[in-house]
Amino acid sequence: MNVDDAIASRMSCRAYLPTPVPEATVRAILEAARRSPSGGNLQPWHVHVLTGGPLTELLADIRRKLPQSPRGGGGEYDVYPPELWEPYRSRRYQCGEDLYATIGVPREDKLARLRQFARNYEFFGAPVGLFFFIDRGLGPPQWADVGMFMQSVMLLAREHGLHSCPQEAWSAWHRTVGEFLRVPAELMLFAGMALGFRDEDAAINRLRTERAALEEFASLQGF
Ligand SMILES: Cc1cc2nc3c(=O)[nH]c(=O)nc-3n(C[C@H](O)[C@H](O)[C@H](O)COP(=O)(O)O)c2cc1C
């Protein structure tokens, strides 16, 4: 698989087969992702990976707590600015509409939407869940570094025949996750990531999101 293929075939996979992912595969992905760039070579990423018993245990704990707080206990950072503006607002809206359309959930059906959203906290059935932390003293440039590291993980996953879904939704459960993993207080949960084999029959995995045309975001000069 070349880089083009990996990028083109990566998508946010929201339904998985229960097929386990070997530890050697996860290790190979993380070993290779170590080569991701970071400003000053700080390598600000911290990753926790769960599968099997520990994953089941964490998800069961969240499931117990979900009825009281369906959107978690609140995040430590704003996933989006409180009022999004154009063109971002429309893009976000479209993404949500297209996602729920794949599973036939209309806008008015808030309960069904919430139920689907809650699937985030099951890693969409993936056999592996990753959590990405960053030292809370670090700033936007290092957050960008962690994002690059996550993209490396997602592209490498494709090389191993796996799919993934990055999940900021997990930030709302940072307290539960942090306590479960016993992470030091200076680490902040940025995002989770589902990893596993894509369920090819799942309607939700038919979503292919749009992208703005090159002219909308790029300017090339002097060629
Ligand atoms: C940092 C990050 C966090 C995301 N968080 C979530 C999430 O919590 N739940 C979810 O279903 N998708 C999440 N997504 C997936 C985006 O919705 C998705 O990347 C975007 O709509 C483009 O679609 P694609 O990934 O299928 O190309 C996240 C993506 C990124 C990069």
Side-chain angles (χ1 to χ4, degrees):
M1 175 173 279
N2 64 29
V3 180
D4 254 333
D5 292 338
I7 290 178
S9 66
R10 187 215 56 81
M11 43 76 74
S12 291
C13 175
R14 297 185 178 89
Y16 293 83
L17 300 177
T19 317
V21 178
E23 180 182 351
T25 305
V26 176
R27 281 189 181 277
I29 289 172
L30 294 177
E31 281 281 352
R34 288 188 310 140
R35 300 304 307 175
S36 300
S38 58
N41 202 19
L42 260 61
Q43 306 162 64
W45 40 81
H46 297 258
V47 191
H48 285 257
V49 191
L50 294 180
T51 193
L55 179 62
T56 307
E57 201 184 318
L58 172 66
L59 299 190
D61 188 24
I62 304 256
R63 202 176 315 120
R64 265 195 304 277
K65 294 174 178 167
L66 259 177
Q68 280 84 330
S69 37
R71 292 198 172 267
E76 288 195 275
Y77 67 91
D78 285 334
V79 169
Y80 306 104
E83 291 288 332
L84 265 186
W85 53 94
E86 294 302 335
Y88 314 112
R89 191 182 145 86
S90 295
R91 288 178 186 165
R92 185 184 175 199
Y93 178 85
Q94 195 60 49
C95 169
E97 289 305 294
D98 292 348
L99 175 71
Y100 291 111
T102 61
I103 49 171
V105 170
R107 184 145 201 86
E108 322 71 75
D109 196 344
K110 298 274 184 259
L111 193 65
R113 287 192 169 216
L114 202 58
R115 212 176 291 128
Q116 172 55 37
F117 181 78
R119 294 274 297 146
N120 269 291
Y121 307 121
E122 298 166 2
F123 280 115
F124 304 112
V128 176
L130 297 93
F131 292 104
F132 296 84
F133 292 85
I134 182 165
D135 195 304
R136 64 184 66 249
L138 296 174
Q142 290 78 45
W143 282 64
D145 295 339
V146 176
M148 284 184 242
F149 179 81
M150 290 172 67
Q151 171 77 331
S152 296
V153 169
M154 293 188 283
L155 297 185
L156 287 158
R158 290 303 306 122
E159 190 179 312
H160 289 270
L162 297 164
H163 275 90
S164 60
C165 185
Q167 299 175 262
E168 278 156 342
W170 275 104
S171 63
W173 286 97
H174 68 93
R175 205 177 302 277
T176 302
V177 173
E179 281 168 12
F180 184 85
L181 297 171
R182 295 198 180 85
V183 296
E186 68 268 20
L187 291 189
M188 189 197 266
L189 178 61
F190 167 42
M193 184 187 289
L195 181 72
F197 294 94
R198 181 167 69 184
D199 180 348
E200 302 295 341
D201 298 328
I204 201 155
N205 283 339
R206 282 188 214 129
L207 176 65
R208 293 296 176 273
T209 48
E210 307 255 309
R211 292 297 187 273
L214 192 69
E215 297 70 34
E216 283 187 48
F217 68 90
S219 151
L220 286 77
Q221 297 180 36
F223 285 93

